[in-house]
Amino acid sequence: MANGMNRISWLGTSPRNAFMLAGLVALLVLLPLFLGQSWLSITTEMLILALAASSLNIMLGYTGMVSFGPAGIYAVGAYTTGVFMEKLGIGIVPAVLAAPVMAGIIGFLVGWICVRRSAVYFALLTLAFSQIIWTVVFQWYSVTGGDDGLVSVPVPDFFFEITNCYYFMLAVVSVCLFIIWKIVNSPFGMTLQAIRENPNRVEFIGVNVKHYQLASFVISSVFLGIAGSMHCVFSGSAFPDYAYWVKSADMLVICLLGGIYNFFGPLVGTVVYTVLTKVISEYTMHWHLVLGGIIVLIILAMRKGVVGTLANYWANRKSAAA
Amino acid sequence: MMLLEAKGISKSFGGLSAVSEVDLVIGKEELVSIIGPNGAGKSTLFNLITGHIRPDRGTVLYKGEDITGRKPYDISRMGVGRSFQKLNIFPRLTTFQNVQASLFSAKKINRNIFADSCRMLGDEVEDILESVGLGGQSETLGGLLAHGDQKRLEIGIALALNPELLLLDEPTQGMSPGETVETTELIRGLVRARHISLAFVEHDMSVVFGISDRINVLHQGMLIFSGKPEEVKANEEVQRIYLGKSEK
Ligand SMILES: Nc1ncnc2c1ncn2[C@@H]1O[C@H](COP(=O)(O)OP(=O)(O)OP(=O)(O)O)[C@@H](O)[C@H]1O
Ligand SMILES: [Mg+2]
């Protein structure tokens, strides 16, 4: 590991992965039996956040595009569902389905401009666009409710029962994650990873890098839109904060914490981040400071994120034993 | 018809004329080398042909078609593969995946969004790895291969495109004498077995004179001579400018 390289493991379809996945699903299905209402609600939020982070990671970890603006697209999803239901009186099914479509369209327009610029400019442009989205949401009172947000989205009663809501989110998030998993492990996903590794070289194997980066941006946006929409359904509300850069920073930190070169990185990152937040905020008012410190420590100690580091550790132990 | 014809291509960087008025032709199944002192413009010439840089003047014809100023991905799709002087691979993909990614692109299945890529086209990938002497290293990360192996992987990535024209920029650079011999054999073998045309930049004169059908000599951006190895040896200007100096 002297030169900082490591195997990018857990991307494949080995039996061990399938086994672990089955165990995880069983645990999640049984979870409402063990958890109280408030932790179940927190877990539901974690599912949504994990989807958002995994969506971001299609760009970040798989394509090597550092976006500072995922929250903007996430908010597009949340507000599409919220506005459709609260302001336009449209039913929940079309309102939810419209979210990824709208997020995909906005993602296409934003992405089309952003991929024209590389690296630093790309990051800054995504930040700028998310702030534009935030401003629009914040100012457009008649439609978005401005800084009051949308607070009475007429979500069906079914979702008020947290167990129902949990299972619904579990289903939606699982399906989405499965699709993302298929995508990143496909030939298309391999092409994205080649772009991450060396965008210049990829041009010389016949790949139009900008097209693929845009595709990655749009796919990421679609799933961010679903995550946003799910949060709107979960909370019956939508606020300008959803689009704020702090939310983007949360998602980035979650990916880095868990490890961006692993499919499971953002998922584990979500759990670590959420649990840390909840636990620390019970002990001190200055939890942001403490949390920041702990995150810095974890990221410094585990450069490949929690999952990447553990996977490395296991791989090394296995090769030592062999 | 020549496979590749560059006519009067020029490129300056600021005041420096890196390539000027070069006419380069490469015939079908021809193995040509490009030699010249450091800074002669050899790499720049490759960059002009493959679309990495746009020439200031001149045209590049590939199979009679004008490809001047086209994008690298267009030109590589037409069957022009290349390797780079500086290592240029996908360091955190496995050796297998390095070649596989290229093969996906060549076969136009890199838009397939749902198939499981894991062992897709595995036999073909292994064949290519075998042919460049990397059999048995499939699962090693590209960036962890020894230098010489990374150079060979570069060739493998280019070969996966199934090119008709292959441009190799200093393929033996940094290799041990033994590896250099292997790579020389590899290059000669490729041209024969795959019936491709190949141009390579090389500083090692034993390699150049050993396998070239034709040698092109660049000097200060100009193509000063192009001919068979014996003719190059007999040419006094070439001897004076270049060959004399490189005998250490
Ligand atoms: N992108 C660039 N910008 C500015 N100058 C460049 C650029 N690329 C090449 N040059 C200059 O053009 C000249 C030719 O460079 P080139 O790399 O083509 O030489 P070369 O023949 O490949 O040399 P070497 O044997 O060292 O690889 C050099 O003087 C170099 O400094
Ligand atoms: Mg060079």
Side-chain angles (χ1 to χ4, degrees):
Chain A
M1 298 299 115
N3 49 5
M5 307 279 297
N6 70 310
R7 280 204 57 90
I8 300 170
S9 41
W10 290 21
L11 295 179
T13 46
S14 79
R16 185 190 65 179
N17 293 349
F19 185 73
M20 287 190 32
L21 217 56
L24 184 65
V25 170
L27 178 74
L28 287 170
V29 168
L30 296 177
L31 213 53
L33 300 178
F34 311 115
L35 288 186
Q37 294 251 324
S38 84
W39 269 103
L40 199 55
S41 164
I42 290 169
T43 310
T44 309
E45 252 185 299
M46 274 200 260
L47 287 172
I48 297 167
L49 191 54
L51 174 58
S54 293
S55 311
L56 168 63
N57 206 42
I58 297 172
M59 275 198 274
L60 185 66
Y62 285 95
T63 327
M65 302 157 77
V66 182
S67 167
F68 283 153
I73 304 291
Y74 175 86
V76 168
Y79 273 91
T80 300
T81 300
V83 170
F84 271 37
M85 291 177 76
E86 187 173 320
K87 301 284 178 177
L88 305 177
I90 292 171
I92 184 167
V93 174
V96 165
L97 291 179
V101 175
M102 193 67 108
I105 293 170
I106 302 284
F108 179 85
L109 297 174
V110 171
W112 191 79
I113 294 167
C114 293
V115 299
R116 247 132 261 279
R117 293 276 165 264
S118 49
V120 177
Y121 293 102
F122 174 84
L124 290 177
L125 277 174
T126 53
L127 177 63
F129 275 109
S130 74
Q131 290 301 93
I132 290 172
I133 291 170
W134 177 79
T135 311
V136 169
V137 167
F138 200 83
Q139 310 253 325
W140 201 5
Y141 268 90
S142 56
V143 174
T144 63
D147 57 350
D148 297 332
L150 300 172
V151 287
S152 49
V153 179
V155 180
D157 290 347
F158 172 85
F159 292 97
F160 292 162
E161 175 58 53
I162 185 65
T163 313
N164 293 344
C165 191
Y166 171 78
Y167 280 124
F168 178 79
M169 294 304 166
L170 181 60
V172 171
V173 171
S174 302
V175 169
C176 288
L177 289 178
F178 177 72
I179 296 172
I180 293 175
W181 187 73
K182 289 298 281 179
I183 291 173
V184 298
N185 286 299
S186 69
F188 173 80
M190 181 56 66
T191 306
L192 295 186
Q193 290 174 64
I195 291 172
R196 171 196 74 207
E197 287 302 305
N198 194 341
N200 295 323
R201 185 70 177 94
V202 174
E203 293 264 340
F204 293 91
I205 56 172
V207 174
N208 183 340
V209 170
K210 301 236 174 299
H211 281 180
Y212 281 79
Q213 286 176 328
L214 180 56
S216 174
F217 202 108
V218 172
I219 292 170
S220 173
S221 298
V222 165
F223 288 105
L224 278 166
I226 296 176
S229 170
M230 287 303 108
H231 200 278
C232 178
V233 170
F234 163 73
S235 64
S237 56
F239 299 102
D241 269 6
Y242 289 16
Y244 206 51
W245 66 268
V246 174
K247 182 85 186 167
S248 293
D250 282 348
M251 294 182 199
L252 280 163
V253 165
I254 283 168
C255 289
L256 289 173
L257 261 182
I260 62 172
Y261 298 136
N262 288 278
F263 182 82
F264 296 101
L267 311 185
V268 172
T270 302
V271 176
V272 172
Y273 184 82
T274 308
V275 170
L276 277 178
T277 310
K278 298 292 173 202
V279 170
I280 297 169
S281 62
E282 281 187 11
Y283 287 98
T284 163
M285 268 171 54
H286 307 295
W287 64 273
H288 264 122
L289 195 65
V290 178
L291 180 68
I294 291 180
I295 287 172
V296 169
L297 283 180
I298 294 182
I299 291 179
L300 284 181
M302 302 181 151
R303 292 232 190 112
K304 281 128 204 157
V306 174
V307 179
T309 306
L310 290 180
N312 252 11
Y313 173 74
W314 275 317
N316 286 344
R317 253 188 29 171
K318 224 166 74 180
S319 58
Chain B
M1 184 183 44
M2 288 291 159
L3 187 64
L4 185 97
E5 264 178 282
K7 291 185 188 161
I9 50 172
S10 305
K11 175 71 198 178
S12 323
F13 296 109
L16 175 93
S17 173
V19 167
S20 63
E21 302 295 328
V22 167
D23 297 312
L24 179 78
V25 290
I26 302 173
K28 286 224 166 81
E29 296 184 41
E30 201 182 13
L31 207 182
V32 307
S33 54
I34 294 161
I35 63 171
N38 293 110
K42 306 178 295 294
S43 298
T44 305
L45 183 57
F46 275 9
N47 288 339
L48 291 170
I49 294 170
T50 56
H52 195 43
I53 311 176
R54 211 194 156 98
D56 299 334
R57 285 185 309 281
T59 51
V60 182
L61 302 180
Y62 176 68
K63 294 182 179 173
E65 194 178 334
D66 189 348
I67 59 165
T68 323
R70 294 229 187 133
K71 297 285 185 205
Y73 52 82
D74 277 334
I75 294 174
S76 31
R77 277 179 204 158
M78 294 175 77
V80 181
R82 72 168 292 184
S83 75
F84 292 78
Q85 183 172 352
K86 284 208 194 109
L87 286 178
N88 206 349
I89 58 163
F90 308 116
R92 276 171 306 187
L93 299 186
T94 63
T95 304
F96 181 90
Q97 290 169 331
N98 266 270
V99 170
Q100 193 191 33
S102 185
L103 211 48
F104 283 157
S105 171
K107 300 207 179 269
K108 300 192 169 33
I109 46 178
N110 52 352
R111 284 164 195 223
N112 183 330
I113 207 161
F114 285 122
D116 185 355
S117 75
C118 194
R119 295 299 303 174
M120 237 172 143
L121 305 177
D123 292 343
E124 258 174 278
V125 175
E126 297 290 358
D127 280 350
I128 291 168
L129 288 176
E130 199 71 49
S131 74
V132 295
L134 290 172
Q137 305 227 55
S138 323
E139 293 311 308
T140 310
L141 290 184
L144 292 181
L145 291 172
H147 176 87
D149 289 342
Q150 294 196 36
K151 288 298 268 189
R152 279 194 282 253
L153 180 54
E154 275 250 24
I155 300 178
I157 293 171
L159 273 184
L161 289 175
N162 199 14
E164 278 177 78
L165 173 62
L166 191 53
L167 307 174
L168 305 179
D169 198 346
E170 304 203 13
T172 70
Q173 180 260 322
M175 286 187 172
S176 68
E179 285 179 314
T180 301
V181 171
E182 281 173 32
T183 306
T184 311
E185 287 309 312
L186 167 66
I187 291 172
R188 200 205 316 250
L190 284 177
V191 175
R192 289 197 184 145
R194 292 176 167 251
H195 303 290
I196 59 175
S197 308
L198 193 148
F200 67 106
V201 172
E202 185 56 66
H203 284 294
D204 185 328
M205 286 308 127
S206 61
V207 178
V208 170
F209 283 93
I211 61 174
S212 307
D213 295 330
R214 196 157 48 82
I215 300 173
N216 297 281
V217 187
L218 270 185
H219 182 59
Q220 294 177 351
M222 285 172 288
L223 186 70
I224 57 165
F225 192 82
S226 175
K228 297 211 167 68
E230 316 84 76
E231 296 168 352
V232 173
K233 274 195 182 128
N235 185 289
E236 280 179 20
E237 193 190 9
V238 175
Q239 291 299 327
R240 186 173 47 77
I241 292 175
Y242 184 58
L243 295 173
K245 266 191 257 169
S246 78
E247 302 296 340
K248 284 162 205 151

